[in-house]
Amino acid sequence: MTGPQPSAAGEPLVSVVGVDAGGAPPHPVVAPLLARAGLVVGAARHLAVVPVPAGAATIVLGPLAPALDRLAAAVVAGTPAVVLASGDPGFFGIVRRLRAAGLPIRVLPAVSSVAAAFARAGLDSDGAAVVTAHGRDLRPALNACRALPAVAVLTAPGAGAAEIGAGLVGWPRHLVVAEHLGTDAERVTWTTAEAAAGRAWADPHVLLSLAPADIAGPGSPDPTGGGAPTGGEAAAAEAGPVGGHLPPGVGPVRGDNQPAAAPAGGWALPESAYDHRDSMITKAEVRALAVARLRPRLGRLIWDVGAGSGSVGIECALLGAAVIAVDRDPTAPVAANAARHGVHLRVVTGEAPAALRGLPDPDAVFVGGGGADVLDAVAVRRPDRVVVTLAALDRVAPAVHLLRAAGYAVSGSQLAAARLADLPGGSVRLAATNPVVVLTGERP
């Protein structure tokens, strides 16, 4: 057997100790572990708050590779070592890297910063999604906040409350920013996306993104649902909601405890599951293919252009994607349908392509309405995928040529479904639906 092994007594020589973000006393075995440690590794702020023995060597974490080398050497030499980490080291923490390095470890977690943030805000956290923006692209974490009603984000410098707040402008969200948890400088601020974007925040901090109970419909000027402080009020909300109470309008998370799982009711739902006008809705058979081609999932942003009933965008949201629904009709039932299905869409009322200007860049776009100018405006934004449905055959070839000229590989199918319909006497027949061409443009 090769690689670092446990001590002769069978206990790992590397103890990974969580430094509590909630201020609770440490696990009772931490003090004796530190007392006999020959090497202690951790961030400067962690080394400053634990009793490091005078004879122990210390490594202040920066680049991880040198620390891993020193820990491996300590294991080979039989020197007990302690690694200090924030909260629960196995939750988006250092445990994964230590195990990948083959180090024998024992983990003593503390209260995670996410749990502490929810607790300090006086909120329940069951059903909330937890994502990280630390050391990776910010967009998936931002899109999770756009898509889901309750999200906790582990932030990093340059990928924190200011940047996420800027990306959430236009989505009705309450934000809670928890700074310096477990220290004398701890501060919990209830604010709005706009206010969060306009100020600096101390690192490290945890961001909670919460959707109001009543999502504002098209044209509503109030992105807070009437509950969170705005503008200058945000600075006065440092200690949290008045009297410790939740602002009115913060909505519950989904009750199935699966915020980004496949919906229990499935997708490609019948048209009767949506309010629509004059049968102007993407039929279930076509919608099944369109949604499959859009590849919705948590972390992706999808535009539904010419949304109408919003059936395509809603089913993408049910599968975890963030969705912007664009429609020129202010009375389109998309917002009501989204509320009916318990998902949160950003609804933009306006005529495309002008209404698309200023929207955040999408990962995929469904074009269910509009002409060549709309498709051209979409292609210019270079989403990974564009899905177009066309009933008029004379529009198919121009759409194919436009997408190919924009650098997309194009595939297409015509769907002509025939549905069972009852006849008198108990017999059945097939009733044809209008054939529709589905085009998919994919960037190589």
Side-chain angles (χ1 to χ4, degrees):
M1 187 176 292
T2 60
Q5 300 300 317
S7 66
E11 292 189 2
L13 289 167
V14 179
S15 298
V16 188
V17 174
V19 179
D20 198 290
H27 194 286
V29 304
V30 169
L33 283 173
L34 283 167
R36 63 175 180 264
L39 175 65
V40 182
V41 177
R45 68 182 187 276
H46 295 146
L47 291 167
V49 298
V50 300
V52 178
T58 59
I59 299 176
V60 179
L61 277 178
L64 191 55
L68 293 175
D69 291 341
R70 288 284 299 277
L71 287 166
V75 170
V76 171
T79 303
V82 172
V83 177
L84 304 173
S86 297
D88 180 356
F91 190 66
F92 291 104
I94 199 170
V95 167
R96 183 187 300 273
R97 293 291 301 275
L98 295 175
R99 287 184 58 84
L103 295 169
I105 61 174
R106 176 189 185 187
V107 182
L108 297 169
V111 174
S112 73
S113 58
V114 170
F118 275 105
R120 293 293 189 266
L123 297 172
D124 57 285
S125 59
D126 50 295
V130 181
V131 297
T132 182
H134 192 88
R136 61 194 72 190
D137 182 8
L138 176 62
R139 289 212 309 167
L142 174 57
N143 285 333
C145 294
R146 290 165 170 166
L148 301 178
V151 181
V153 184
L154 300 171
T155 66
E163 292 78 14
I164 293 172
L168 286 175
V169 172
W171 276 263
R173 292 293 184 269
H174 302 284
L175 300 185
V176 181
V177 185
E179 303 167 275
H180 296 305
L181 284 167
T183 73
D184 293 339
E186 180 178 291
R187 181 172 60 178
V188 177
T189 305
W190 289 76
T191 185
T192 63
E194 292 86 347
R199 58 173 289 183
W201 303 93
D203 290 308
H205 63 268
V206 176
L207 172 73
L208 308 182
S209 171
L210 308 168
D214 299 315
I215 296 299
S220 172
D222 179 10
T224 69
T230 59
E233 296 177 61
E238 306 277 335
V242 176
H245 295 294
L246 189 65
V250 175
V253 298
R254 279 176 48 174
D256 58 10
N257 200 34
Q258 296 291 330
W267 54 94
L269 302 175
E271 291 86 80
S272 59
Y274 302 94
D275 291 332
H276 53 91
R277 295 173 182 165
D278 302 323
S279 296
M280 295 297 292
I281 181 173
T282 304
K283 300 299 188 288
E285 295 85 354
V286 175
R287 196 180 330 124
L289 180 60
V291 171
R293 293 286 187 260
L294 291 166
R295 296 181 180 174
R297 64 179 184 273
L298 186 62
R300 287 171 65 82
L301 173 63
I302 292 174
W303 289 357
D304 182 357
V305 181
S309 69
S311 61
V312 171
I314 287 167
E315 296 194 5
C316 288
L318 285 169
L319 291 162
V323 176
I324 299 177
V326 180
D327 199 275
R328 64 185 180 183
D329 184 359
T331 66
V334 54
N337 281 327
R340 177 180 179 181
H341 289 278
V343 295
H344 304 283
L345 309 186
R346 177 180 171 185
V347 179
V348 174
T349 301
E351 187 89 32
L356 307 179
R357 298 189 191 114
L359 298 183
D361 289 334
D363 296 293
V365 179
F366 175 70
V367 181
D373 58 338
V374 173
L375 187 56
D376 183 60
V378 166
V380 165
R381 300 295 288 272
R382 303 292 291 161
D384 293 336
R385 297 194 138 221
V386 180
V387 178
V388 187
T389 55
L390 299 167
L393 293 179
D394 59 340
R395 295 176 58 190
V396 173
V400 170
H401 297 323
L402 189 155
L403 288 171
R404 286 178 176 166
Y408 286 87
V410 182
S411 61
S413 303
Q414 184 194 63
L415 297 185
R419 298 177 174 178
L420 289 177
D422 291 329
L423 286 172
S427 186
V428 294
R429 67 180 180 89
L430 289 174
T433 60
N434 288 332
V436 174
V437 174
V438 181
L439 300 179
T440 302
E442 185 170 11
R443 284 173 54 187

Short mmCIF file of all heavy atoms in Angstrom, two decimals, residues 265-325:
data_model
loop_
_atom_site.label_atom_id
_atom_site.label_comp_id
_atom_site.label_asym_id
_atom_site.label_seq_id
_atom_site.Cartn_x
_atom_site.Cartn_y
_atom_site.Cartn_z
N GLY A 265 -44.61 16.77 -11.45
CA GLY A 265 -45.67 16.64 -12.45
C GLY A 265 -45.17 16.46 -13.87
O GLY A 265 -45.98 16.38 -14.80
N GLY A 266 -43.85 16.38 -14.04
CA GLY A 266 -43.29 16.20 -15.37
C GLY A 266 -43.26 17.50 -16.16
O GLY A 266 -43.45 18.59 -15.63
N TRP A 267 -43.01 17.37 -17.46
CA TRP A 267 -42.99 18.52 -18.36
C TRP A 267 -43.68 18.12 -19.66
O TRP A 267 -44.24 17.03 -19.74
CB TRP A 267 -41.57 19.01 -18.59
CG TRP A 267 -40.60 17.98 -19.07
CD1 TRP A 267 -40.27 17.69 -20.36
CD2 TRP A 267 -39.85 17.07 -18.27
NE1 TRP A 267 -39.36 16.68 -20.40
CE2 TRP A 267 -39.08 16.27 -19.13
CE3 TRP A 267 -39.75 16.85 -16.89
CZ2 TRP A 267 -38.24 15.27 -18.67
CZ3 TRP A 267 -38.90 15.87 -16.44
CH2 TRP A 267 -38.15 15.09 -17.32
N ALA A 268 -43.68 18.99 -20.66
CA ALA A 268 -44.54 18.81 -21.83
C ALA A 268 -45.97 18.62 -21.37
O ALA A 268 -46.67 17.69 -21.78
CB ALA A 268 -44.06 17.64 -22.70
N LEU A 269 -46.39 19.52 -20.49
CA LEU A 269 -47.73 19.44 -19.90
C LEU A 269 -48.80 19.76 -20.95
O LEU A 269 -48.53 20.44 -21.93
CB LEU A 269 -47.83 20.43 -18.74
CG LEU A 269 -46.81 20.23 -17.60
CD1 LEU A 269 -46.95 21.35 -16.57
CD2 LEU A 269 -46.99 18.87 -16.94
N PRO A 270 -50.01 19.27 -20.75
CA PRO A 270 -51.08 19.57 -21.71
C PRO A 270 -51.38 21.07 -21.74
O PRO A 270 -51.11 21.78 -20.76
CB PRO A 270 -52.27 18.77 -21.18
CG PRO A 270 -51.98 18.55 -19.73
CD PRO A 270 -50.49 18.43 -19.63
N GLU A 271 -51.93 21.53 -22.86
CA GLU A 271 -52.22 22.95 -22.98
C GLU A 271 -53.18 23.44 -21.90
O GLU A 271 -53.17 24.61 -21.52
CB GLU A 271 -52.82 23.25 -24.36
CG GLU A 271 -51.86 23.09 -25.53
CD GLU A 271 -51.77 21.67 -26.06
OE1 GLU A 271 -52.66 21.26 -26.82
OE2 GLU A 271 -50.80 20.97 -25.68
N SER A 272 -54.00 22.52 -21.37
CA SER A 272 -54.94 22.90 -20.32
C SER A 272 -54.24 23.31 -19.03
O SER A 272 -54.86 23.89 -18.14
CB SER A 272 -55.90 21.75 -20.04
OG SER A 272 -55.18 20.59 -19.63
N ALA A 273 -52.94 23.03 -18.93
CA ALA A 273 -52.19 23.42 -17.73
C ALA A 273 -51.82 24.90 -17.75
O ALA A 273 -51.25 25.40 -16.78
CB ALA A 273 -50.93 22.57 -17.59
N TYR A 274 -52.13 25.59 -18.85
CA TYR A 274 -51.76 26.99 -19.01
C TYR A 274 -52.96 27.79 -19.49
O TYR A 274 -53.76 27.31 -20.31
CB TYR A 274 -50.63 27.15 -20.03
CG TYR A 274 -49.38 26.38 -19.69
CD1 TYR A 274 -49.18 25.10 -20.21
CD2 TYR A 274 -48.42 26.92 -18.84
CE1 TYR A 274 -48.03 24.39 -19.90
CE2 TYR A 274 -47.27 26.21 -18.52
CZ TYR A 274 -47.08 24.94 -19.05
OH TYR A 274 -45.96 24.23 -18.74
N ASP A 275 -53.06 29.01 -19.01
CA ASP A 275 -54.00 29.95 -19.61
C ASP A 275 -53.40 30.44 -20.93
O ASP A 275 -52.22 30.80 -20.98
CB ASP A 275 -54.23 31.14 -18.69
CG ASP A 275 -55.00 30.76 -17.43
OD1 ASP A 275 -55.78 29.80 -17.49
OD2 ASP A 275 -54.77 31.42 -16.38
N HIS A 276 -54.21 30.45 -21.98
CA HIS A 276 -53.73 30.93 -23.27
C HIS A 276 -54.91 31.48 -24.06
O HIS A 276 -56.07 31.26 -23.70
CB HIS A 276 -53.03 29.81 -24.05
CG HIS A 276 -53.85 28.57 -24.21
ND1 HIS A 276 -54.68 28.35 -25.27
CD2 HIS A 276 -53.96 27.46 -23.41
CE1 HIS A 276 -55.27 27.17 -25.15
NE2 HIS A 276 -54.86 26.61 -24.03
N ARG A 277 -54.60 32.16 -25.13
CA ARG A 277 -55.64 32.83 -25.90
C ARG A 277 -55.68 32.29 -27.31
O ARG A 277 -54.65 32.23 -27.99
CB ARG A 277 -55.37 34.34 -25.93
CG ARG A 277 -55.49 34.97 -24.55
CD ARG A 277 -55.07 36.40 -24.54
NE ARG A 277 -55.15 36.94 -23.19
CZ ARG A 277 -54.60 38.07 -22.80
NH1 ARG A 277 -53.93 38.80 -23.68
NH2 ARG A 277 -54.72 38.49 -21.57
N ASP A 278 -56.85 31.89 -27.72
CA ASP A 278 -57.07 31.45 -29.11
C ASP A 278 -56.10 30.36 -29.52
O ASP A 278 -55.59 30.34 -30.65
CB ASP A 278 -56.93 32.65 -30.08
CG ASP A 278 -57.91 33.77 -29.76
OD1 ASP A 278 -59.05 33.44 -29.37
OD2 ASP A 278 -57.53 34.94 -29.88
N SER A 279 -55.81 29.44 -28.59
CA SER A 279 -54.91 28.30 -28.85
C SER A 279 -53.50 28.75 -29.23
O SER A 279 -52.75 27.99 -29.84
CB SER A 279 -55.49 27.39 -29.95
OG SER A 279 -56.70 26.81 -29.52
N MET A 280 -53.14 30.01 -28.87
CA MET A 280 -51.79 30.50 -29.15
C MET A 280 -50.85 30.02 -28.06
O MET A 280 -50.50 30.74 -27.12
CB MET A 280 -51.79 32.03 -29.24
CG MET A 280 -52.61 32.57 -30.41
SD MET A 280 -51.94 32.06 -32.02
CE MET A 280 -50.42 32.97 -32.03
N ILE A 281 -50.46 28.77 -28.18
CA ILE A 281 -49.58 28.16 -27.21
C ILE A 281 -48.77 27.07 -27.92
O ILE A 281 -49.27 26.42 -28.85
CB ILE A 281 -50.38 27.54 -26.02
CG1 ILE A 281 -49.42 26.92 -24.98
CG2 ILE A 281 -51.41 26.54 -26.50
CD1 ILE A 281 -50.14 26.46 -23.72
N THR A 282 -47.52 26.92 -27.54
CA THR A 282 -46.70 25.85 -28.11
C THR A 282 -47.25 24.51 -27.65
O THR A 282 -47.34 24.24 -26.45
CB THR A 282 -45.23 25.99 -27.65
OG1 THR A 282 -44.76 27.30 -28.01
CG2 THR A 282 -44.36 24.93 -28.29
N LYS A 283 -47.66 23.68 -28.60
CA LYS A 283 -48.31 22.42 -28.27
C LYS A 283 -47.34 21.49 -27.52
O LYS A 283 -46.12 21.58 -27.66
CB LYS A 283 -48.82 21.73 -29.54
CG LYS A 283 -49.84 22.56 -30.31
CD LYS A 283 -51.09 22.85 -29.46
CE LYS A 283 -52.20 23.52 -30.27
NZ LYS A 283 -51.89 24.92 -30.60
N ALA A 284 -47.90 20.60 -26.74
CA ALA A 284 -47.11 19.75 -25.84
C ALA A 284 -46.05 18.96 -26.59
O ALA A 284 -44.90 18.84 -26.13
CB ALA A 284 -48.03 18.82 -25.07
N GLU A 285 -46.40 18.42 -27.77
CA GLU A 285 -45.45 17.61 -28.51
C GLU A 285 -44.26 18.45 -29.00
O GLU A 285 -43.10 18.01 -28.96
CB GLU A 285 -46.13 16.95 -29.72
CG GLU A 285 -47.21 15.94 -29.35
CD GLU A 285 -48.56 16.57 -29.11
OE1 GLU A 285 -48.67 17.82 -29.12
OE2 GLU A 285 -49.54 15.81 -28.90
N VAL A 286 -44.56 19.66 -29.45
CA VAL A 286 -43.51 20.57 -29.89
C VAL A 286 -42.70 21.07 -28.70
O VAL A 286 -41.47 21.17 -28.74
CB VAL A 286 -44.12 21.75 -30.67
CG1 VAL A 286 -43.05 22.77 -31.05
CG2 VAL A 286 -44.86 21.25 -31.90
N ARG A 287 -43.40 21.35 -27.61
CA ARG A 287 -42.73 21.85 -26.42
C ARG A 287 -41.75 20.83 -25.86
O ARG A 287 -40.67 21.17 -25.37
CB ARG A 287 -43.77 22.23 -25.37
CG ARG A 287 -43.23 23.11 -24.26
CD ARG A 287 -44.30 23.46 -23.23
NE ARG A 287 -45.62 23.52 -23.80
CZ ARG A 287 -46.64 22.81 -23.34
NH1 ARG A 287 -46.47 21.95 -22.35
NH2 ARG A 287 -47.83 22.93 -23.90
N ALA A 288 -42.11 19.55 -25.93
CA ALA A 288 -41.21 18.51 -25.43
C ALA A 288 -39.88 18.55 -26.15
O ALA A 288 -38.80 18.48 -25.53
CB ALA A 288 -41.86 17.13 -25.59
N LEU A 289 -39.91 18.70 -27.48
CA LEU A 289 -38.67 18.75 -28.24
C LEU A 289 -37.93 20.06 -28.00
O LEU A 289 -36.71 20.07 -27.84
CB LEU A 289 -38.97 18.59 -29.74
CG LEU A 289 -37.75 18.62 -30.66
CD1 LEU A 289 -36.77 17.51 -30.32
CD2 LEU A 289 -38.19 18.52 -32.13
N ALA A 290 -38.67 21.17 -27.95
CA ALA A 290 -38.02 22.48 -27.75
C ALA A 290 -37.29 22.52 -26.41
O ALA A 290 -36.14 22.97 -26.33
CB ALA A 290 -39.06 23.59 -27.84
N VAL A 291 -37.94 22.05 -25.34
CA VAL A 291 -37.31 22.06 -24.03
C VAL A 291 -36.09 21.16 -24.01
O VAL A 291 -35.04 21.49 -23.45
CB VAL A 291 -38.33 21.67 -22.93
CG1 VAL A 291 -37.64 21.45 -21.59
CG2 VAL A 291 -39.41 22.74 -22.80
N ALA A 292 -36.20 19.99 -24.66
CA ALA A 292 -35.05 19.09 -24.72
C ALA A 292 -33.87 19.75 -25.43
O ALA A 292 -32.71 19.62 -25.02
CB ALA A 292 -35.43 17.80 -25.43
N ARG A 293 -34.15 20.49 -26.50
CA ARG A 293 -33.09 21.14 -27.25
C ARG A 293 -32.47 22.32 -26.48
O ARG A 293 -31.29 22.63 -26.63
CB ARG A 293 -33.63 21.65 -28.59
CG ARG A 293 -34.03 20.54 -29.55
CD ARG A 293 -32.81 19.86 -30.14
NE ARG A 293 -33.17 18.92 -31.18
CZ ARG A 293 -33.24 17.60 -31.02
NH1 ARG A 293 -33.00 17.08 -29.82
NH2 ARG A 293 -33.56 16.81 -32.03
N LEU A 294 -33.25 22.97 -25.63
CA LEU A 294 -32.75 24.11 -24.85
C LEU A 294 -31.85 23.68 -23.70
O LEU A 294 -31.05 24.46 -23.20
CB LEU A 294 -33.93 24.93 -24.31
CG LEU A 294 -34.73 25.71 -25.36
CD1 LEU A 294 -36.05 26.19 -24.76
CD2 LEU A 294 -33.93 26.89 -25.90
N ARG A 295 -32.00 22.43 -23.26
CA ARG A 295 -31.17 21.86 -22.20
C ARG A 295 -31.19 22.69 -20.92
O ARG A 295 -30.15 23.10 -20.39
CB ARG A 295 -29.73 21.69 -22.68
CG ARG A 295 -29.60 20.72 -23.83
CD ARG A 295 -28.15 20.56 -24.25
NE ARG A 295 -28.02 19.62 -25.36
CZ ARG A 295 -26.87 19.39 -26.01
NH1 ARG A 295 -25.76 20.03 -25.65
NH2 ARG A 295 -26.82 18.52 -27.00
N PRO A 296 -32.36 22.95 -20.37
CA PRO A 296 -32.42 23.75 -19.14
C PRO A 296 -31.86 22.98 -17.95
O PRO A 296 -32.05 21.78 -17.82
CB PRO A 296 -33.92 24.01 -18.98
CG PRO A 296 -34.57 22.84 -19.65
CD PRO A 296 -33.69 22.50 -20.81
N ARG A 297 -31.18 23.71 -17.09
CA ARG A 297 -30.70 23.15 -15.83
C ARG A 297 -30.27 24.30 -14.94
O ARG A 297 -30.14 25.44 -15.39
CB ARG A 297 -29.54 22.18 -16.05
CG ARG A 297 -28.28 22.80 -16.62
CD ARG A 297 -27.18 21.76 -16.77
NE ARG A 297 -25.93 22.34 -17.24
CZ ARG A 297 -25.61 22.54 -18.50
NH1 ARG A 297 -26.46 22.16 -19.45
NH2 ARG A 297 -24.46 23.07 -18.83
N LEU A 298 -30.03 23.99 -13.68
CA LEU A 298 -29.60 25.00 -12.74
C LEU A 298 -28.28 25.61 -13.19
O LEU A 298 -27.35 24.89 -13.57
CB LEU A 298 -29.44 24.38 -11.35
CG LEU A 298 -29.13 25.35 -10.20
CD1 LEU A 298 -30.27 26.33 -10.02
CD2 LEU A 298 -28.86 24.59 -8.91
N GLY A 299 -28.22 26.93 -13.17
CA GLY A 299 -27.01 27.62 -13.58
C GLY A 299 -27.07 28.20 -14.98
O GLY A 299 -26.17 28.94 -15.38
N ARG A 300 -28.14 27.88 -15.76
CA ARG A 300 -28.27 28.39 -17.12
C ARG A 300 -29.37 29.45 -17.17
O ARG A 300 -30.35 29.37 -16.42
CB ARG A 300 -28.59 27.26 -18.10
CG ARG A 300 -27.40 26.36 -18.38
CD ARG A 300 -27.79 25.14 -19.18
NE ARG A 300 -28.27 25.42 -20.52
CZ ARG A 300 -27.49 25.64 -21.58
NH1 ARG A 300 -26.18 25.61 -21.44
NH2 ARG A 300 -28.00 25.86 -22.76
N LEU A 301 -29.19 30.41 -18.07
CA LEU A 301 -30.18 31.46 -18.31
C LEU A 301 -30.78 31.27 -19.69
O LEU A 301 -30.04 31.18 -20.68
CB LEU A 301 -29.55 32.84 -18.19
CG LEU A 301 -30.45 34.03 -18.57
CD1 LEU A 301 -31.66 34.12 -17.64
CD2 LEU A 301 -29.67 35.34 -18.56
N ILE A 302 -32.10 31.23 -19.75
CA ILE A 302 -32.81 31.00 -21.02
C ILE A 302 -33.77 32.15 -21.27
O ILE A 302 -34.48 32.59 -20.36
CB ILE A 302 -33.57 29.65 -20.97
CG1 ILE A 302 -32.54 28.51 -20.94
CG2 ILE A 302 -34.52 29.50 -22.16
CD1 ILE A 302 -33.13 27.15 -20.75
N TRP A 303 -33.76 32.63 -22.51
CA TRP A 303 -34.76 33.61 -22.95
C TRP A 303 -35.91 32.87 -23.63
O TRP A 303 -35.68 31.98 -24.46
CB TRP A 303 -34.19 34.57 -23.97
CG TRP A 303 -33.19 35.57 -23.49
CD1 TRP A 303 -32.76 35.78 -22.21
CD2 TRP A 303 -32.50 36.53 -24.31
NE1 TRP A 303 -31.84 36.79 -22.18
CE2 TRP A 303 -31.66 37.27 -23.46
CE3 TRP A 303 -32.50 36.81 -25.66
CZ2 TRP A 303 -30.83 38.28 -23.93
CZ3 TRP A 303 -31.68 37.81 -26.15
CH2 TRP A 303 -30.86 38.55 -25.28
N ASP A 304 -37.14 33.27 -23.32
CA ASP A 304 -38.33 32.81 -24.04
C ASP A 304 -38.89 34.04 -24.74
O ASP A 304 -39.56 34.88 -24.13
CB ASP A 304 -39.33 32.21 -23.03
CG ASP A 304 -40.58 31.66 -23.70
OD1 ASP A 304 -40.72 31.78 -24.93
OD2 ASP A 304 -41.43 31.11 -22.97
N VAL A 305 -38.59 34.17 -26.04
CA VAL A 305 -38.94 35.37 -26.80
C VAL A 305 -40.25 35.13 -27.55
O VAL A 305 -40.38 34.15 -28.28
CB VAL A 305 -37.81 35.74 -27.79
CG1 VAL A 305 -38.18 37.00 -28.56
CG2 VAL A 305 -36.50 35.94 -27.04
N GLY A 306 -41.20 36.04 -27.36
CA GLY A 306 -42.55 35.82 -27.86
C GLY A 306 -43.25 34.82 -26.97
O GLY A 306 -43.89 33.88 -27.43
N ALA A 307 -43.13 35.04 -25.66
CA ALA A 307 -43.51 34.02 -24.67
C ALA A 307 -44.99 33.67 -24.68
O ALA A 307 -45.36 32.51 -24.54
CB ALA A 307 -43.08 34.47 -23.28
N GLY A 308 -45.87 34.67 -24.82
CA GLY A 308 -47.30 34.39 -24.80
C GLY A 308 -47.73 33.76 -23.49
O GLY A 308 -47.71 34.39 -22.42
N SER A 309 -48.12 32.51 -23.53
CA SER A 309 -48.51 31.80 -22.31
C SER A 309 -47.31 31.50 -21.42
O SER A 309 -47.46 31.20 -20.23
CB SER A 309 -49.21 30.49 -22.68
OG SER A 309 -48.30 29.58 -23.26
N GLY A 310 -46.12 31.50 -22.00
CA GLY A 310 -44.92 31.22 -21.24
C GLY A 310 -44.65 29.76 -21.00
O GLY A 310 -43.80 29.40 -20.18
N SER A 311 -45.33 28.87 -21.74
CA SER A 311 -45.24 27.44 -21.43
C SER A 311 -43.81 26.91 -21.56
O SER A 311 -43.36 26.10 -20.73
CB SER A 311 -46.19 26.64 -22.32
OG SER A 311 -45.88 26.78 -23.69
N VAL A 312 -43.08 27.33 -22.59
CA VAL A 312 -41.72 26.84 -22.78
C VAL A 312 -40.82 27.34 -21.65
O VAL A 312 -40.07 26.58 -21.02
CB VAL A 312 -41.17 27.23 -24.16
CG1 VAL A 312 -39.67 26.91 -24.25
CG2 VAL A 312 -41.92 26.52 -25.26
N GLY A 313 -40.86 28.64 -21.39
CA GLY A 313 -40.04 29.20 -20.33
C GLY A 313 -40.37 28.62 -18.97
O GLY A 313 -39.47 28.35 -18.16
N ILE A 314 -41.64 28.43 -18.69
CA ILE A 314 -42.05 27.87 -17.40
C ILE A 314 -41.51 26.47 -17.22
O ILE A 314 -41.01 26.10 -16.14
CB ILE A 314 -43.59 27.91 -17.28
CG1 ILE A 314 -44.05 29.36 -17.07
CG2 ILE A 314 -44.08 27.01 -16.14
CD1 ILE A 314 -45.53 29.56 -17.23
N GLU A 315 -41.56 25.66 -18.26
CA GLU A 315 -41.05 24.30 -18.12
C GLU A 315 -39.53 24.27 -18.01
O GLU A 315 -38.98 23.39 -17.35
CB GLU A 315 -41.58 23.43 -19.27
CG GLU A 315 -43.09 23.32 -19.18
CD GLU A 315 -43.71 22.24 -20.03
OE1 GLU A 315 -42.97 21.47 -20.65
OE2 GLU A 315 -44.95 22.16 -20.05
N CYS A 316 -38.86 25.25 -18.61
CA CYS A 316 -37.42 25.37 -18.38
C CYS A 316 -37.15 25.76 -16.93
O CYS A 316 -36.21 25.24 -16.30
CB CYS A 316 -36.82 26.41 -19.32
SG CYS A 316 -36.74 25.89 -21.06
N ALA A 317 -37.97 26.65 -16.38
CA ALA A 317 -37.80 27.05 -14.99
C ALA A 317 -38.09 25.89 -14.04
O ALA A 317 -37.44 25.74 -13.00
CB ALA A 317 -38.71 28.24 -14.67
N LEU A 318 -39.07 25.07 -14.37
CA LEU A 318 -39.36 23.89 -13.55
C LEU A 318 -38.18 22.93 -13.49
O LEU A 318 -38.03 22.17 -12.54
CB LEU A 318 -40.60 23.16 -14.09
CG LEU A 318 -41.95 23.81 -13.82
CD1 LEU A 318 -43.04 23.14 -14.64
CD2 LEU A 318 -42.29 23.75 -12.34
N LEU A 319 -37.33 22.98 -14.50
CA LEU A 319 -36.14 22.13 -14.55
C LEU A 319 -34.90 22.85 -14.01
O LEU A 319 -33.79 22.35 -14.14
CB LEU A 319 -35.90 21.65 -15.98
CG LEU A 319 -36.95 20.65 -16.47
CD1 LEU A 319 -36.93 20.54 -17.99
CD2 LEU A 319 -36.72 19.29 -15.84
N GLY A 320 -35.09 24.01 -13.38
CA GLY A 320 -34.01 24.65 -12.65
C GLY A 320 -33.36 25.84 -13.32
O GLY A 320 -32.50 26.47 -12.71
N ALA A 321 -33.71 26.15 -14.57
CA ALA A 321 -33.05 27.26 -15.26
C ALA A 321 -33.63 28.60 -14.83
O ALA A 321 -34.78 28.70 -14.41
CB ALA A 321 -33.21 27.10 -16.78
N ALA A 322 -32.81 29.65 -14.95
CA ALA A 322 -33.31 31.01 -14.85
C ALA A 322 -33.90 31.40 -16.20
O ALA A 322 -33.36 31.02 -17.24
CB ALA A 322 -32.19 31.97 -14.47
N VAL A 323 -35.01 32.13 -16.18
CA VAL A 323 -35.74 32.41 -17.42
C VAL A 323 -36.14 33.88 -17.48
O VAL A 323 -36.64 34.43 -16.49
CB VAL A 323 -36.99 31.52 -17.55
CG1 VAL A 323 -37.79 31.90 -18.80
CG2 VAL A 323 -36.61 30.04 -17.57
N ILE A 324 -35.92 34.50 -18.64
CA ILE A 324 -36.49 35.80 -18.95
C ILE A 324 -37.51 35.58 -20.06
O ILE A 324 -37.18 35.07 -21.12
CB ILE A 324 -35.43 36.80 -19.42
CG1 ILE A 324 -34.39 37.04 -18.32
CG2 ILE A 324 -36.07 38.12 -19.82
CD1 ILE A 324 -33.26 37.97 -18.75
N ALA A 325 -38.76 35.94 -19.79
CA ALA A 325 -39.84 35.80 -20.77
C ALA A 325 -40.13 37.18 -21.36
O ALA A 325 -40.40 38.13 -20.62
CB ALA A 325 -41.09 35.23 -20.11
#
